[in-house]
Amino acid sequence: MIEKEETFQERAIRLLNLSDEEVLGLSGFYGVHKKSEIETIKPKITRINEVDFVKINISFKSSLIRQCNREINIQNNAISNNGFFSNRVIDRSGLLCLQSQIEFARKHQLKRIYLTAFRDEFYETGEYYNGYYSWGRYGFLMNRLDQQSEFLTMMHDHNYEETNIHDLVKYKQGRDFWVSIRTTWEGYFDLHLRSTSSLIFTDITNLLIKT
């Protein structure tokens, strides 16, 4: 028997009525924090239920995470990761938060996660953003056709055969090349279990978390 597809109204009711603890899981909070820390950190959760837009905003700061902002877009059945900044120069907090976020997103039947992968010293603020490297390494793929085309043209012009950032930065020559480019790009993570994003993420977690 074919299951009836959930309507937007049904999805809105289901997601808007999640407990704050479950909503917080969609931000990746539990990748680096315990439920017992919620009272201390005091994350902000805002549910917006308007005629033209239904969403849930999540934000928090902690000793580990300088800023984390998420938006659950219920119309698109997706999460927008609007900002993630670690207090440490080099750590795995981004990977651990993403791992936890993916688990909760699949549990609650969301389809994609979107973000902007910023390059170093974005807008000349002096802050170093390594999203252009890390998020591609973790399975995010370029979402804009023009950026995909520019990437593939760049690969061809420099004699690379790779079609995504993860495969390019697997080895030193590719890593050095991509670090020299430092370009900001728009990305998405397909939450389907057998998607390219998911297969890449399994590969990188096996390498970095289980070793």
Tab-separated table of all heavy atoms in Angstrom, residues 119-160:
chain	number	residue	atom	x	y	z
A	119	ARG	N	34.309	32.132	2.724
A	119	ARG	CA	35.761	32.051	2.578
A	119	ARG	C	36.435	32.793	3.720
A	119	ARG	O	35.778	33.497	4.498
A	119	ARG	CB	36.192	32.679	1.250
A	119	ARG	CG	35.924	34.183	1.155
A	119	ARG	CD	36.470	34.763	-0.134
A	119	ARG	NE	36.113	36.163	-0.304
A	119	ARG	CZ	36.754	37.180	0.226
A	119	ARG	NH1	37.797	36.950	1.014
A	119	ARG	NH2	36.368	38.417	0.015
A	120	ASP	N	37.762	32.663	3.816
A	120	ASP	CA	38.542	33.354	4.840
A	120	ASP	C	38.373	34.869	4.754
A	120	ASP	O	38.229	35.432	3.659
A	120	ASP	CB	40.039	33.039	4.674
A	120	ASP	CG	40.380	31.647	5.147
A	120	ASP	OD1	39.506	31.000	5.733
A	120	ASP	OD2	41.519	31.215	4.929
A	121	GLU	N	38.415	35.515	5.927
A	121	GLU	CA	38.377	36.974	6.030
A	121	GLU	C	37.238	37.573	5.228
A	121	GLU	O	37.400	38.509	4.459
A	121	GLU	CB	39.712	37.589	5.577
A	121	GLU	CG	40.868	37.181	6.466
A	121	GLU	CD	42.154	37.876	6.077
A	121	GLU	OE1	42.327	39.036	6.449
A	121	GLU	OE2	42.968	37.248	5.396
A	122	PHE	N	36.033	37.013	5.445
A	122	PHE	CA	34.866	37.485	4.711
A	122	PHE	C	34.557	38.938	5.057
A	122	PHE	O	34.536	39.322	6.217
A	122	PHE	CB	33.670	36.596	5.040
A	122	PHE	CG	32.496	36.830	4.154
A	122	PHE	CD1	32.554	36.530	2.807
A	122	PHE	CD2	31.328	37.372	4.668
A	122	PHE	CE1	31.468	36.735	1.988
A	122	PHE	CE2	30.236	37.585	3.849
A	122	PHE	CZ	30.294	37.269	2.505
A	123	TYR	N	34.320	39.760	4.038
A	123	TYR	CA	34.032	41.178	4.182
A	123	TYR	C	35.118	41.932	4.951
A	123	TYR	O	34.863	42.970	5.568
A	123	TYR	CB	32.677	41.400	4.855
A	123	TYR	CG	31.517	40.951	4.016
A	123	TYR	CD1	30.503	40.187	4.559
A	123	TYR	CD2	31.431	41.281	2.667
A	123	TYR	CE1	29.431	39.758	3.797
A	123	TYR	CE2	30.376	40.862	1.880
A	123	TYR	CZ	29.372	40.098	2.460
A	123	TYR	OH	28.310	39.681	1.691
A	124	GLU	N	36.342	41.386	4.930
A	124	GLU	CA	37.486	42.046	5.534
A	124	GLU	C	37.275	42.362	7.019
A	124	GLU	O	37.735	43.380	7.532
A	124	GLU	CB	37.821	43.331	4.763
A	124	GLU	CG	38.187	43.060	3.295
A	124	GLU	CD	38.540	44.325	2.549
A	124	GLU	OE1	38.359	45.420	3.112
A	124	GLU	OE2	39.007	44.206	1.403
A	125	THR	N	36.576	41.481	7.703
A	125	THR	CA	36.350	41.693	9.140
A	125	THR	C	37.549	41.256	9.958
A	125	THR	O	37.636	41.559	11.143
A	125	THR	CB	35.137	40.884	9.624
A	125	THR	OG1	35.390	39.485	9.391
A	125	THR	CG2	33.876	41.299	8.889
A	126	GLY	N	38.449	40.516	9.330
A	126	GLY	CA	39.581	39.993	10.061
A	126	GLY	C	39.310	38.635	10.675
A	126	GLY	O	40.224	38.007	11.207
A	127	GLU	N	38.054	38.175	10.627
A	127	GLU	CA	37.713	36.858	11.146
A	127	GLU	C	37.923	35.810	10.063
A	127	GLU	O	37.657	36.057	8.888
A	127	GLU	CB	36.264	36.824	11.629
A	127	GLU	CG	36.004	37.741	12.806
A	127	GLU	CD	34.577	37.647	13.282
A	127	GLU	OE1	33.691	38.158	12.578
A	127	GLU	OE2	34.351	37.063	14.340
A	128	TYR	N	38.387	34.642	10.461
A	128	TYR	CA	38.692	33.602	9.494
A	128	TYR	C	37.573	32.576	9.441
A	128	TYR	O	37.313	31.888	10.414
A	128	TYR	CB	40.032	32.928	9.837
A	128	TYR	CG	41.199	33.835	9.550
A	128	TYR	CD1	41.663	34.717	10.513
A	128	TYR	CD2	41.805	33.835	8.298
A	128	TYR	CE1	42.726	35.572	10.244
A	128	TYR	CE2	42.872	34.687	8.022
A	128	TYR	CZ	43.313	35.552	8.996
A	128	TYR	OH	44.354	36.400	8.720
A	129	TYR	N	36.901	32.500	8.317
A	129	TYR	CA	35.809	31.559	8.099
A	129	TYR	C	36.295	30.466	7.152
A	129	TYR	O	36.690	30.756	6.022
A	129	TYR	CB	34.600	32.262	7.473
A	129	TYR	CG	34.037	33.409	8.285
A	129	TYR	CD1	33.235	34.371	7.687
A	129	TYR	CD2	34.295	33.527	9.651
A	129	TYR	CE1	32.698	35.418	8.431
A	129	TYR	CE2	33.770	34.564	10.392
A	129	TYR	CZ	32.964	35.510	9.774
A	129	TYR	OH	32.444	36.539	10.503
A	130	ASN	N	36.252	29.218	7.603
A	130	ASN	CA	36.754	28.137	6.754
A	130	ASN	C	35.634	27.290	6.163
A	130	ASN	O	35.846	26.167	5.738
A	130	ASN	CB	37.725	27.246	7.540
A	130	ASN	CG	37.036	26.469	8.657
A	130	ASN	OD1	35.844	26.641	8.901
A	130	ASN	ND2	37.782	25.625	9.339
A	131	GLY	N	34.414	27.850	6.128
A	131	GLY	CA	33.278	27.103	5.590
A	131	GLY	C	33.458	26.671	4.148
A	131	GLY	O	32.997	25.596	3.753
A	132	TYR	N	34.128	27.515	3.346
A	132	TYR	CA	34.344	27.192	1.934
A	132	TYR	C	35.058	25.854	1.774
A	132	TYR	O	34.910	25.162	0.759
A	132	TYR	CB	35.175	28.294	1.254
A	132	TYR	CG	36.642	28.252	1.616
A	132	TYR	CD1	37.558	27.626	0.778
A	132	TYR	CD2	37.112	28.796	2.816
A	132	TYR	CE1	38.912	27.560	1.117
A	132	TYR	CE2	38.440	28.740	3.157
A	132	TYR	CZ	39.337	28.123	2.310
A	132	TYR	OH	40.666	28.040	2.654
A	133	TYR	N	35.828	25.475	2.799
A	133	TYR	CA	36.591	24.223	2.793
A	133	TYR	C	35.857	23.133	3.571
A	133	TYR	O	35.575	22.053	3.050
A	133	TYR	CB	37.972	24.475	3.399
A	133	TYR	CG	38.838	23.254	3.566
A	133	TYR	CD1	39.709	22.849	2.568
A	133	TYR	CD2	38.802	22.500	4.752
A	133	TYR	CE1	40.515	21.728	2.724
A	133	TYR	CE2	39.598	21.390	4.919
A	133	TYR	CZ	40.454	21.000	3.901
A	133	TYR	OH	41.242	19.896	4.059
A	134	SER	N	35.502	23.428	4.813
A	134	SER	CA	34.964	22.405	5.715
A	134	SER	C	33.614	21.862	5.275
A	134	SER	O	33.392	20.649	5.276
A	134	SER	CB	34.850	22.961	7.135
A	134	SER	OG	36.115	23.239	7.664
A	135	TRP	N	32.678	22.745	4.892
A	135	TRP	CA	31.331	22.249	4.570
A	135	TRP	C	31.336	21.401	3.309
A	135	TRP	O	30.594	20.412	3.214
A	135	TRP	CB	30.345	23.399	4.471
A	135	TRP	CG	30.220	24.180	5.746
A	135	TRP	CD1	30.358	25.531	5.898
A	135	TRP	CD2	29.960	23.668	7.068
A	135	TRP	NE1	30.198	25.887	7.220
A	135	TRP	CE2	29.954	24.765	7.962
A	135	TRP	CE3	29.738	22.383	7.586
A	135	TRP	CZ2	29.725	24.609	9.334
A	135	TRP	CZ3	29.522	22.233	8.956
A	135	TRP	CH2	29.509	23.336	9.800
A	136	GLY	N	32.173	21.723	2.360
A	136	GLY	CA	32.303	20.865	1.180
A	136	GLY	C	32.917	19.527	1.536
A	136	GLY	O	32.520	18.474	1.019
A	137	ARG	N	33.859	19.548	2.443
A	137	ARG	CA	34.496	18.318	2.908
A	137	ARG	C	33.491	17.414	3.623
A	137	ARG	O	33.605	16.190	3.584
A	137	ARG	CB	35.639	18.678	3.854
A	137	ARG	CG	36.568	17.520	4.197
A	137	ARG	CD	37.614	17.953	5.194
A	137	ARG	NE	38.563	16.879	5.458
A	137	ARG	CZ	39.310	16.784	6.554
A	137	ARG	NH1	39.200	17.724	7.486
A	137	ARG	NH2	40.142	15.786	6.726
A	138	TYR	N	32.483	18.023	4.269
A	138	TYR	CA	31.512	17.266	5.052
A	138	TYR	C	30.290	16.821	4.242
A	138	TYR	O	29.391	16.198	4.799
A	138	TYR	CB	31.029	18.095	6.244
A	138	TYR	CG	32.108	18.456	7.239
A	138	TYR	CD1	31.886	19.458	8.190
A	138	TYR	CD2	33.344	17.812	7.257
A	138	TYR	CE1	32.865	19.797	9.111
A	138	TYR	CE2	34.332	18.157	8.170
A	138	TYR	CZ	34.080	19.160	9.099
A	138	TYR	OH	35.058	19.506	10.006
A	139	GLY	N	30.218	17.163	2.974
A	139	GLY	CA	29.133	16.641	2.144
A	139	GLY	C	28.188	17.656	1.547
A	139	GLY	O	27.263	17.294	0.809
A	140	PHE	N	28.383	18.950	1.847
A	140	PHE	CA	27.548	19.963	1.203
A	140	PHE	C	27.991	20.126	-0.252
A	140	PHE	O	29.185	20.135	-0.548
A	140	PHE	CB	27.657	21.297	1.939
A	140	PHE	CG	26.813	21.352	3.189
A	140	PHE	CD1	27.314	20.865	4.390
A	140	PHE	CD2	25.526	21.854	3.155
A	140	PHE	CE1	26.548	20.895	5.547
A	140	PHE	CE2	24.748	21.891	4.300
A	140	PHE	CZ	25.258	21.406	5.503
A	141	LEU	N	27.014	20.264	-1.130
A	141	LEU	CA	27.255	20.415	-2.564
A	141	LEU	C	26.805	21.798	-3.008
A	141	LEU	O	25.925	22.405	-2.388
A	141	LEU	CB	26.499	19.342	-3.337
A	141	LEU	CG	26.783	17.892	-2.921
A	141	LEU	CD1	25.831	16.942	-3.637
A	141	LEU	CD2	28.233	17.515	-3.195
A	142	MET	N	27.397	22.292	-4.067
A	142	MET	CA	27.039	23.622	-4.546
A	142	MET	C	25.593	23.642	-5.035
A	142	MET	O	25.174	22.801	-5.820
A	142	MET	CB	28.004	24.050	-5.654
A	142	MET	CG	29.394	24.345	-5.127
A	142	MET	SD	30.532	24.926	-6.410
A	142	MET	CE	31.985	25.283	-5.398
A	143	ASN	N	24.851	24.636	-4.575
A	143	ASN	CA	23.416	24.717	-4.846
A	143	ASN	C	23.088	25.554	-6.078
A	143	ASN	O	22.062	25.343	-6.713
A	143	ASN	CB	22.705	25.304	-3.623
A	143	ASN	CG	21.203	25.163	-3.691
A	143	ASN	OD1	20.693	24.116	-4.078
A	143	ASN	ND2	20.482	26.213	-3.330
A	144	ARG	N	23.959	26.497	-6.413
A	144	ARG	CA	23.698	27.378	-7.553
A	144	ARG	C	24.353	26.826	-8.809
A	144	ARG	O	25.527	26.445	-8.798
A	144	ARG	CB	24.240	28.782	-7.253
A	144	ARG	CG	23.375	29.568	-6.309
A	144	ARG	CD	23.997	30.883	-5.889
A	144	ARG	NE	24.730	31.558	-6.946
A	144	ARG	CZ	25.439	32.677	-6.776
A	144	ARG	NH1	25.488	33.228	-5.574
A	144	ARG	NH2	26.087	33.215	-7.767
A	145	LEU	N	23.596	26.808	-9.896
A	145	LEU	CA	24.096	26.256	-11.145
A	145	LEU	C	25.310	27.021	-11.658
A	145	LEU	O	26.234	26.420	-12.216
A	145	LEU	CB	22.987	26.251	-12.203
A	145	LEU	CG	21.836	25.272	-11.955
A	145	LEU	CD1	20.764	25.428	-13.030
A	145	LEU	CD2	22.341	23.832	-11.932
A	146	ASP	N	25.319	28.355	-11.485
A	146	ASP	CA	26.461	29.128	-11.968
A	146	ASP	C	27.728	28.784	-11.198
A	146	ASP	O	28.817	28.693	-11.776
A	146	ASP	CB	26.167	30.629	-11.899
A	146	ASP	CG	25.892	31.124	-10.489
A	146	ASP	OD1	25.324	30.351	-9.679
A	146	ASP	OD2	26.232	32.281	-10.177
A	147	GLN	N	27.597	28.536	-9.889
A	147	GLN	CA	28.772	28.169	-9.101
A	147	GLN	C	29.235	26.748	-9.416
A	147	GLN	O	30.437	26.484	-9.455
A	147	GLN	CB	28.458	28.315	-7.605
A	147	GLN	CG	28.270	29.765	-7.198
A	147	GLN	CD	27.986	29.932	-5.719
A	147	GLN	OE1	27.580	29.002	-5.028
A	147	GLN	NE2	28.190	31.145	-5.215
A	148	GLN	N	28.278	25.852	-9.655
A	148	GLN	CA	28.644	24.496	-10.078
A	148	GLN	C	29.420	24.546	-11.386
A	148	GLN	O	30.449	23.872	-11.552
A	148	GLN	CB	27.383	23.643	-10.273
A	148	GLN	CG	26.619	23.334	-9.019
A	148	GLN	CD	25.316	22.618	-9.320
A	148	GLN	OE1	25.172	21.954	-10.341
A	148	GLN	NE2	24.351	22.760	-8.436
A	149	SER	N	28.926	25.344	-12.331
A	149	SER	CA	29.570	25.450	-13.641
A	149	SER	C	30.971	26.038	-13.528
A	149	SER	O	31.924	25.554	-14.155
A	149	SER	CB	28.708	26.322	-14.568
A	149	SER	OG	29.318	26.476	-15.823
A	150	GLU	N	31.108	27.078	-12.697
A	150	GLU	CA	32.423	27.697	-12.496
A	150	GLU	C	33.398	26.703	-11.871
A	150	GLU	O	34.576	26.656	-12.249
A	150	GLU	CB	32.277	28.920	-11.602
A	150	GLU	CG	31.604	30.105	-12.274
A	150	GLU	CD	31.341	31.247	-11.311
A	150	GLU	OE1	31.852	31.177	-10.167
A	150	GLU	OE2	30.629	32.193	-11.688
A	151	PHE	N	32.909	25.907	-10.918
A	151	PHE	CA	33.764	24.917	-10.263
A	151	PHE	C	34.250	23.871	-11.259
A	151	PHE	O	35.447	23.547	-11.317
A	151	PHE	CB	33.003	24.242	-9.119
A	151	PHE	CG	33.797	23.203	-8.380
A	151	PHE	CD1	34.697	23.567	-7.390
A	151	PHE	CD2	33.662	21.853	-8.683
A	151	PHE	CE1	35.439	22.611	-6.703
A	151	PHE	CE2	34.399	20.892	-8.005
A	151	PHE	CZ	35.292	21.271	-7.021
A	152	LEU	N	33.335	23.332	-12.071
A	152	LEU	CA	33.707	22.298	-13.035
A	152	LEU	C	34.655	22.843	-14.100
A	152	LEU	O	35.591	22.155	-14.529
A	152	LEU	CB	32.452	21.710	-13.680
A	152	LEU	CG	31.543	20.917	-12.737
A	152	LEU	CD1	30.265	20.494	-13.458
A	152	LEU	CD2	32.269	19.698	-12.171
A	153	THR	N	34.429	24.088	-14.514
A	153	THR	CA	35.331	24.724	-15.478
A	153	THR	C	36.725	24.893	-14.868
A	153	THR	O	37.742	24.639	-15.525
A	153	THR	CB	34.781	26.091	-15.911
A	153	THR	OG1	33.513	25.910	-16.552
A	153	THR	CG2	35.734	26.785	-16.864
A	154	MET	N	36.760	25.298	-13.608
A	154	MET	CA	38.029	25.451	-12.902
A	154	MET	C	38.769	24.120	-12.808
A	154	MET	O	39.984	24.052	-13.011
A	154	MET	CB	37.762	26.014	-11.496
A	154	MET	CG	39.001	26.425	-10.719
A	154	MET	SD	38.570	26.852	-9.004
A	154	MET	CE	37.253	28.038	-9.254
A	155	MET	N	38.028	23.059	-12.492
A	155	MET	CA	38.637	21.734	-12.405
A	155	MET	C	39.241	21.334	-13.753
A	155	MET	O	40.377	20.849	-13.830
A	155	MET	CB	37.599	20.690	-11.970
A	155	MET	CG	37.047	20.853	-10.558
A	155	MET	SD	38.300	20.721	-9.246
A	155	MET	CE	38.644	22.464	-8.947
A	156	HIS	N	38.494	21.558	-14.802
A	156	HIS	CA	38.962	21.202	-16.149
A	156	HIS	C	40.199	22.014	-16.527
A	156	HIS	O	41.191	21.470	-17.045
A	156	HIS	CB	37.841	21.445	-17.164
A	156	HIS	CG	38.243	21.190	-18.576
A	156	HIS	ND1	38.756	22.176	-19.402
A	156	HIS	CD2	38.230	20.041	-19.315
A	156	HIS	CE1	39.040	21.661	-20.577
A	156	HIS	NE2	38.715	20.362	-20.559
A	157	ASP	N	40.165	23.325	-16.256
A	157	ASP	CA	41.264	24.200	-16.642
A	157	ASP	C	42.558	23.891	-15.901
A	157	ASP	O	43.653	24.189	-16.398
A	157	ASP	CB	40.881	25.667	-16.390
A	157	ASP	CG	39.794	26.151	-17.345
A	157	ASP	OD1	39.525	25.451	-18.347
A	157	ASP	OD2	39.212	27.219	-17.081
A	158	HIS	N	42.430	23.281	-14.706
A	158	HIS	CA	43.624	22.975	-13.905
A	158	HIS	C	43.910	21.474	-13.854
A	158	HIS	O	44.643	20.994	-12.989
A	158	HIS	CB	43.464	23.531	-12.483
A	158	HIS	CG	43.509	25.028	-12.425
A	158	HIS	ND1	42.394	25.819	-12.650
A	158	HIS	CD2	44.541	25.889	-12.181
A	158	HIS	CE1	42.733	27.096	-12.533
A	158	HIS	NE2	44.020	27.164	-12.247
A	159	ASN	N	43.299	20.759	-14.786
A	159	ASN	CA	43.564	19.316	-14.960
A	159	ASN	C	43.179	18.461	-13.760
A	159	ASN	O	43.858	17.494	-13.407
A	159	ASN	CB	45.052	19.089	-15.303
A	159	ASN	CG	45.451	19.769	-16.605
A	159	ASN	OD1	44.741	19.669	-17.606
A	159	ASN	ND2	46.565	20.470	-16.577
A	160	TYR	N	42.048	18.833	-13.121
A	160	TYR	CA	41.480	18.000	-12.062
A	160	TYR	C	40.243	17.293	-12.609
A	160	TYR	O	39.491	17.867	-13.413
A	160	TYR	CB	41.093	18.841	-10.843
A	160	TYR	CG	42.266	19.366	-10.053
A	160	TYR	CD1	42.714	20.685	-10.213
A	160	TYR	CD2	42.926	18.559	-9.126
A	160	TYR	CE1	43.785	21.177	-9.485
A	160	TYR	CE2	44.007	19.042	-8.394
A	160	TYR	CZ	44.424	20.345	-8.583
A	160	TYR	OH	45.500	20.825	-7.855
